[in-house]
Amino acid sequence: MRLPPTYERHTQGAAEIITTHRDAEFVRTAIRSAGSLHSFAARRHDAIALAGRGTAYAIAAQNERWVVRHYQRGGAIAGWLGDLYLRGGVTRPEGELVVSAAARARGIPTPRVAAAVTYAEGAFYRADLATTYIPDATDLAVLTLGEQAWATDLRVAAWRSAGEVLRICFDAGLIHPDLNLKNILVQRTVTGVTAYVIDLDRARIAQRVSPSQRTRMLARFDRSRIKIETRTARSVTDEERHAFVEGLGE
């Protein structure tokens, strides 16, 4: 797979790294010191643990902040393979890096991938991904249905912004296989809110998103809402849902 402009391939021991020339030495040094980029992040005194599948860490890196996450399998197969992926073809982090760069080039608000790293384990590999950190951001599930939910007007604005970012995604041809409330980050700024789509693992860019693909992605998004509402005994309001539909342009 051809890498996007500015990205290069590097190695550090058994680790295969894709990053920019500027960030290469930082990533190599991190892996050399801790065995993996994720282990390095976990040990940092400034690390902020972020909730999700496994644990991701926000750390200071290269005059910015990165979020470093370790790839974890979900579902029944996780009990068999844990965090192992079969080698052969394009790796999961490389695919995510390439799609993320293409999405950003098409105007989709999503964090920049700083580094994609795989670690050979015989016929398998483990993997980490580092993306740029979005400050003052909360996922749509937490800001709406969490213990410290945002104020009503901010929640409505967040749902409208979420609809807008999904409309941009659909117009730009992004097919996201796991669209859910946790994969929409909303950033609070002095002028309002801005939404981002994250976790582009296994996503792809197509010439267009068909009506049936759009329907399936929105249905998955809605199922995630219902699941979280059931678990938290809270509900997304009609005003929030209406704002989301307005953002979608429907």
Side-chain angles (χ1 to χ4, degrees):
M1 176 176 286
R2 185 175 182 179
L3 296 181
T6 76
Y7 286 96
E8 307 169 344
R9 298 185 190 274
H10 298 267
T11 60
Q12 177 59 49
E16 297 182 1
I17 305 161
I18 303 174
T19 188
T20 64
H21 181 76
R22 185 200 72 157
D23 297 330
E25 188 54 34
F26 178 88
V27 176
R28 293 180 64 186
T29 299
I31 295 169
R32 190 163 55 242
S33 67
S36 76
L37 186 57
H38 188 260
S39 295
F40 171 82
R43 297 176 187 179
R44 287 287 293 264
H45 70 278
D46 64 336
I48 300 172
L50 306 174
R53 182 182 296 169
T55 303
Y57 296 96
I59 63 169
Q62 299 296 79
N63 298 317
E64 56 186 1
R65 292 189 71 82
W66 292 358
V67 174
V68 182
R69 82 172 193 266
H70 185 65
Y71 280 77
Q72 297 279 2
R73 287 188 177 276
I77 197 170
W80 291 90
L81 293 177
D83 63 349
L84 291 172
Y85 296 84
L86 187 64
R87 297 177 71 181
V90 178
T91 65
R92 296 281 282 268
E94 180 175 349
E96 185 166 352
L97 180 150
V98 170
V99 170
S100 177
R104 287 168 57 83
R106 293 193 179 199
I108 295 173
T110 190
R112 179 182 70 87
V113 173
V117 189
T118 57
Y119 312 92
E121 296 278 349
F124 298 89
Y125 68 88
R126 293 183 168 88
D128 296 333
L129 192 82
T131 57
T132 51
Y133 177 69
I134 302 173
D136 303 315
T138 306
D139 71 58
L140 196 59
V142 170
L143 72 86
T144 308
L145 303 169
E147 293 290 342
Q148 297 181 325
W150 289 3
T152 300
D153 59 334
L154 285 173
R155 293 200 311 270
V156 171
W159 276 86
R160 180 173 290 106
S161 187
E164 291 169 352
V165 80
L166 291 189
R167 174 170 49 80
I168 292 170
C169 289
F170 297 150
D171 290 346
L174 179 68
I175 298 174
H176 197 306
D178 189 24
L179 199 59
N180 62 68
L181 271 63
K182 303 292 289 183
N183 286 339
I184 301 295
L185 282 187
V186 183
Q187 180 186 45
R188 294 175 63 171
T189 67
V190 293
T191 58
V193 300
T194 303
Y196 299 81
V197 61
I198 63 171
D199 194 1
L200 301 187
D201 182 27
R202 297 180 295 114
R204 60 189 178 91
I205 297 287
Q207 287 295 107
R208 61 185 292 272
V209 174
S210 71
S212 62
Q213 288 168 328
R214 184 179 187 277
T215 297
R216 285 196 296 272
M217 284 189 282
L218 287 175
R220 187 178 185 90
F221 186 80
D222 204 43
R223 288 196 300 272
S224 78
R225 173 188 62 80
I226 294 169
K227 183 178 179 179
I228 298 169
E229 285 179 332
T230 301
R231 187 177 71 242
T232 62
R234 295 180 171 89
S235 297
V236 176
T237 67
D238 288 343
E239 187 178 7
E240 290 159 1
R241 295 176 69 176
H242 180 68
F244 177 72
V245 172
E246 280 186 340
L248 278 173
E250 296 184 347

